[in-house]
Amino acid sequence: MKEEDKLSPWKNKLHEIIYEADTPMGKLFDLILFFIIIFSVILIMLESVKSIDAEYHYVLLTLEWIVTIFFTIEYIARIVCIKKPKNYIFSFYGIIDFLSTIPLYLSYIFVGSQVFLAVRALRLLRVFRILKLVQFLGEASHLKSALKASRAKIIVFLFSVLIASVILGTLMYWVEGDEAGFTSIPTSIYWTIVTLTTVGYGDIAPITPQGQFIATVIMLLGYGIIAVPTGIVTAEFGRQNKDKSNDGEPGRYVHVNTQSCPTCSKEGHRDDATHCYNCGALLNE
Amino acid sequence: MKEEDKLSPWKNKLHEIIYEADTPMGKLFDLILFFIIIFSVILIMLESVKSIDAEYHYVLLTLEWIVTIFFTIEYIARIVCIKKPKNYIFSFYGIIDFLSTIPLYLSYIFVGSQVFLAVRALRLLRVFRILKLVQFLGEASHLKSALKASRAKIIVFLFSVLIASVILGTLMYWVEGDEAGFTSIPTSIYWTIVTLTTVGYGDIAPITPQGQFIATVIMLLGYGIIAVPTGIVTAEFGRQNKDKSNDGEPGRYVHVNTQSCPTCSKEGHRDDATHCYNCGALLNE
Amino acid sequence: MKEEDKLSPWKNKLHEIIYEADTPMGKLFDLILFFIIIFSVILIMLESVKSIDAEYHYVLLTLEWIVTIFFTIEYIARIVCIKKPKNYIFSFYGIIDFLSTIPLYLSYIFVGSQVFLAVRALRLLRVFRILKLVQFLGEASHLKSALKASRAKIIVFLFSVLIASVILGTLMYWVEGDEAGFTSIPTSIYWTIVTLTTVGYGDIAPITPQGQFIATVIMLLGYGIIAVPTGIVTAEFGRQNKDKSNDGEPGRYVHVNTQSCPTCSKEGHRDDATHCYNCGALLNE
Amino acid sequence: MKEEDKLSPWKNKLHEIIYEADTPMGKLFDLILFFIIIFSVILIMLESVKSIDAEYHYVLLTLEWIVTIFFTIEYIARIVCIKKPKNYIFSFYGIIDFLSTIPLYLSYIFVGSQVFLAVRALRLLRVFRILKLVQFLGEASHLKSALKASRAKIIVFLFSVLIASVILGTLMYWVEGDEAGFTSIPTSIYWTIVTLTTVGYGDIAPITPQGQFIATVIMLLGYGIIAVPTGIVTAEFGRQNKDKSNDGEPGRYVHVNTQSCPTCSKEGHRDDATHCYNCGALLNE
C-alpha cells in the first residue's frame, strides 16, 4: 500500500520543481512559467489588433501553437507527478489550466469555436498561483482581510445604491424619454449608475431642464456617498494598523532607547532608567 | 370593549403571517413576496424595452395583471387583519403599497394615465420592509447612524458646493457663451456640477482658452474637496469603531483619575468626586 | 465730541435691525433679505434662459428693478446708520454690496455694459453674511479649520499635480498631435487635468495606441493620488474628533450612567458605584 | 595636491551663488532662475499654439534664444565652479539641465529634430531643485514618506487592478465587438481602465444590453475599490499624525505594565523586567 502511495523518484523531483518554489530549479521553473504566461497574454492581445494580425498572422499563430504545446506538456506533467490527480484536475487552478489550454485545439475540431479563443485570457489568473508560491502577496492578504472585514457593510451599501439606481433610473426614463437616449428603463438605470459612480460617459445625457436637475441631484449624491465605501475601508485599515501596533494588547507604552546594559548586554531600556531591567546593574549615563 | 379589540383567530393567524417573520409560514410569505416584488420590477423594466414589448406585449401584460391582483389581495389582507386599519393605510409603507398597486387599474379608467405606470417602480421600496423584518439590515443601521452623525457637516458642505457652483456657473456662462453649449446660467450651473463632481459627460465642454482654464480650476477644486465628505464620514466611522471597542456599551464617559480612596483603596474616581463611589468615605483633596 | 460719536436713536434702531440679528425685527429683516437675495439670483438665472427672457422680458426687468431699488435703499441705509461709513464701504461685504447693485444702473448709462450684469450673481455671496449672523455656520467653521490645518499639504499636492500635468501634457502633445484634438500644449495640459481628476469629458481623447497607453498611466495615477487629499483631510478630521472627545486631556475614561444620587441629586455615577461621588451617600441599586 | 583641490576665490563665490541659497546673492539668483524657468515653459506653451505662433513667431524665437543662451551660460558656470564637474554632469539635475538646453541648437544642426523641442519642457523639473534649496518642500517630504510607507500595498493594488482590467477588457471585446468601438483587446483594456477609474471619456461606450451590464459591474467595482488606495494612504497619515503626537520623538516603544517596584514604588516596568529600572531592586514575579 505504502509503495503505491509513494511517487517514483523522478516524479518526486518533478513535483518539487512544478509545485514548489524552494529549490533553485523550482524557482527557475516558476520564473519561466511567469514570463511565458505574460508572453502568451500579449500574443492574444496582438492577435486581436486587426492591422497586426493581418501582417503577422502566421508568426502569431506559430508562437501561439508553441505556447499552447508548452502549456499542454505542463498540464500533463502536473497530472503525472501528483499522487491524487483528481485533486489537481478539479481544483480551481486545474480548471483554469484546462480551460486556457484547450481553446486552440477546439478551434480546429469545431468550426465556429474561434469565439472561445478569448477564454485563453484566463491564463492570466495562473499568474496568481506563481505569485502565491513566491510569497509576493503578503501585502495582498492584508488588503483582503480589510475588505473581508468590511464586506457586510459594502454589500448593504451596494444594495442600497442599486435600489436607488432603479428608482432614479425609472424617474429619468419618465422625465427624459427617447430623445435624450433614455430609450428604456434598463438603459436609464445604466445611465444612472454611470452618473452615480461619476464615470459620466456622455453617450446619454439629459437635455430637459428637469432632467438636468435630477441629474445634478444624482451627481451630488454620488459625489457624497463615495465617502461611504471609503470610510468603511479606511476605518478598517485604521483598526488593523492599531491592532498591529500593540499586538492586540491594550495598555501603556514607553519609549525605549538603544542603550545596552554594560553587565548583561540587554537592550531596550526606558529613557529615564538608571538600572537594567534584567539584571539590576547600574546603567551608564 | 375588549372583545372588539381582539381579532378573530384566523385574522390573528393572517396577521402573524403577513406582518411578522417569526413563524415558518411568516418567513415563507416574506420570501415569496420578496421574489414577486423583484419579479414585478423586472416586468416593468422589460415592458419599457420597445423590442421586447413589441414581441411579448400580451405575455407581459398578463403577468403584470397576475402580479397586480396578487398585490391587491395582499393589500386588502393587510387592511383586514390589523386592528386599526388607519395605522397601516396612512403609514409610509401603506401609501407605497397603494401607489404601486393602483396604476394598472387607473390606466384602464383614465385614458392617458399610462404615464403613471412608472409609479409602479415604487414597489421596490417594499423590499426594505421585508429586509427589515428579517434583520438583514443590521449593518445598514450602522451606516445610517454614521451618516446621521455627520449630517450637519454634509449639509453645510453641499450648501457651499451649490453656492460655488452658481457663482462659477455664471462666470462660465459669461466667459464661454452659446457656442460651447453654455446657453443659459442654469445650464452653466448644471455643467459646473457635472465638472465639480468629476462626472464629466462632455455634452458641454469649454472651447475658449479662458473657459478651459476656469474649467481646470473647477476640476482641481472638485478633485480636492471630494476629500471633505470622505473625511467627515471616515472620521465618523473611526469614532464609532472606537466607541464600539469601549465594550460595545453606548453612553456617557467621564474622565477618572488615579486617586485612590483612603478608606477602601478603590481607584478610578471622577475628577470632581469628593466621596469614594465604593465606600462613601471622604476623598483627599 | 462724544455727542458726535453717538448715533441718533432712530439710526441706532436701524443699525440694530440691519447689522444684528438678536431682536425680532433684526431676525425678520435678515429673513426677508435672505429670500430677496435668493429670489434675485433666480431672476438673473431666468433672464439668461433665452426662451423665458423672450416671453417674460418686461416682467423680469420690472422685478429686477424692484430688487435693485430695494438693494440700493438697503445700501444707503447701511451707510447712514453706521458711525464710520468707510469701515463698511471698503469692507469685503461693502464692496460686494456695491458691485452687485450697480450693474443695472450702469447698463443704462454706458451702452455695451450689459455684460457686467453677470456681476450681480455676486449677490449670492451676501447670503454668507446673513448665515454668519444667525450662527448657522458652526459646522462650517469646523470644516474650515480642518481645511486650514491641512492647507500647506494641499498646496504642495496641487503644485505637484500641476507640474506633473504640464510634463505629461507636453508628452501627450508630442505623441498624439492635432488629429486627436491635442492642438497645443495648453490644450494638452487641459486634457491631462481633465483625465487626472477623473472628470473625462471625452471632447479630446487619445487615438494612437501609445497615447492610450500614456492616458492609462495618467488615469491610474489620478485614481491613486486622489487618496492624498482625502488622506490629508481625513487624518485632520480624525485628529480634531479625538481632541474634542477628551478635551485635550489624556487619561482613562469610565462609563457613567444616568442614575442620580437620592441625597444630593448629582448625576454621572460609575456603573459599579455604591456611593455618591459627591456626598458619599448610599446609592440605590 | 591640496592647492589643486581648492577653487579660486571667484569660483568659490560663484559656487556659493549658484549652488547655495544662504547668501542674499544666492537667494536672488535662485529667484531669478525660478522666474526664467517658468517664463521659458510659458514660451514653449505659447509656441505650440498655432494662432499665436503664426503672429509672434519671431518674437517668441528671439525670446527662446535669449533664454537658451542664459541657460547655456548657467550650465557652463555650473561646470566651471564645481570641483568635480563629473559629479554634476552625470547627476540627475545635470542631465536635465543638458537635455533642456540642447534642443534649440540641435534644431539648427539636424533638420527634422524640431520634434525634440518638446524635450525643453523638462526645464520644469529644474524648479524642484530651487524649491529644495529654499526649504519649501518640508510638507512634501511628509507626503512622500506616507506614500513610501504604503508603496507595497499600492503596488499590489495596482497590479490587481491591471489583471482585472485585462480579463474584463477581453470579456468586453468578446461581448461588444467592433461596432461599439471595442476594436481590439488593447483598446478594450484601455476602455476598462477608463471606466474603472471613473474617468469615462465616452469615446467608446457599450451599446448592447450585456455590454452595458458588464460596464455597470465595472463601474460599481471602480467606485468601490477607489476606497482601497484612499484607505491605505489615510491610515498611513493617521499613523504618522499619531507618531508625531508621541512627542515627535521617533524610536521604539515597549509595553509597560502597572507593576510597581517593591523598593522604590516606581511604576512603568517592561513586561519582561526582573529588576527596577530606577533602583535596581528585584521585582516580584
Side-chain angles (χ1 to χ4, degrees), chain B residues 20-138:
Chain B
E20 286 159 42
D22 300 326
T23 56
M25 279 297 283
K27 271 177 191 152
L28 184 67
F29 177 81
D30 282 335
L31 203 68
I32 292 172
L33 192 59
F34 181 83
F35 283 110
I36 292 179
I37 291 168
I38 299 294
F39 175 72
S40 84
V41 171
I42 292 170
L43 269 186
I44 297 167
M45 287 187 199
L46 293 179
E47 263 175 59
S48 76
V49 182
K50 271 94 202 161
S51 60
I52 293 174
D53 191 52
E55 205 162 341
Y56 303 104
H57 185 71
Y58 287 102
V59 179
L60 291 173
L61 192 66
T62 312
L63 288 170
E64 180 59 35
W65 264 114
I66 292 169
V67 167
T68 301
I69 287 165
F70 176 88
F71 284 152
T72 310
I73 293 168
E74 189 219 337
Y75 184 68
I76 293 166
R78 274 183 193 275
I79 292 175
V80 166
C81 76
I82 204 170
K83 268 179 276 181
K84 299 183 180 167
K86 271 186 192 171
N87 281 3
Y88 165 66
I89 293 172
F90 297 105
S91 71
F92 175 71
Y93 283 119
I95 293 165
I96 293 292
D97 288 357
F98 182 77
L99 286 179
S100 62
T101 308
I102 204 78
L104 193 60
Y105 297 110
L106 286 182
S107 69
Y108 281 83
I109 300 169
F110 303 105
V111 176
S113 63
Q114 276 85 346
V115 288
F116 292 109
L117 288 174
V119 173
R120 289 173 299 163
L122 289 176
R123 282 171 191 169
L124 206 57
L125 287 176
R126 306 184 65 201
V127 162
F128 282 114
R129 176 166 49 192
I130 299 171
L131 294 175
K132 208 179 220 166
L133 279 174
V134 295
Q135 295 294 338
F136 182 79
L137 293 181

Side-chain angles (χ1 to χ4, degrees), chain B residues 86-253:
Chain B
K86 271 186 192 171
N87 281 3
Y88 165 66
I89 293 172
F90 297 105
S91 71
F92 175 71
Y93 283 119
I95 293 165
I96 293 292
D97 288 357
F98 182 77
L99 286 179
S100 62
T101 308
I102 204 78
L104 193 60
Y105 297 110
L106 286 182
S107 69
Y108 281 83
I109 300 169
F110 303 105
V111 176
S113 63
Q114 276 85 346
V115 288
F116 292 109
L117 288 174
V119 173
R120 289 173 299 163
L122 289 176
R123 282 171 191 169
L124 206 57
L125 287 176
R126 306 184 65 201
V127 162
F128 282 114
R129 176 166 49 192
I130 299 171
L131 294 175
K132 208 179 220 166
L133 279 174
V134 295
Q135 295 294 338
F136 182 79
L137 293 181
E139 289 297 336
S141 77
H142 188 64
L143 289 184
K144 237 159 88 180
S145 76
L147 286 176
K148 209 175 253 172
S150 39
R151 195 178 36 184
K153 283 202 201 69
I154 287 176
I155 287 171
V156 169
F157 171 71
L158 281 184
F159 191 79
S160 311
V161 164
L162 273 178
I163 290 187
S165 300
V166 170
I167 291 172
L168 289 167
T170 308
L171 187 63
M172 282 303 280
Y173 171 68
W174 188 67
V175 165
E176 281 283 333
D178 281 14
E179 270 168 86
F182 296 80
T183 51
S184 69
I185 291 179
T187 306
S188 287
I189 293 169
Y190 161 72
W191 172 86
T192 308
I193 290 175
V194 166
T195 301
L196 203 63
T197 55
T198 78
V199 171
Y201 287 128
D203 51 346
I204 306 165
I207 47 174
T208 64
Q210 320 77 287
Q212 293 186 341
F213 178 76
I214 299 170
T216 301
V217 172
I218 297 174
M219 278 171 232
L220 288 175
L221 198 68
Y223 193 61
I225 61 176
I226 200 170
V228 176
T230 307
I232 293 166
V233 175
T234 304
E236 197 47 50
F237 273 120
R239 214 176 54 73
Q240 285 198 353
N241 271 2
K242 212 159 106 197
D243 285 6
K244 215 162 53 179
S245 71
N246 278 333
D247 324 306
E249 191 184 359
R252 282 202 300 149
Y253 289 82

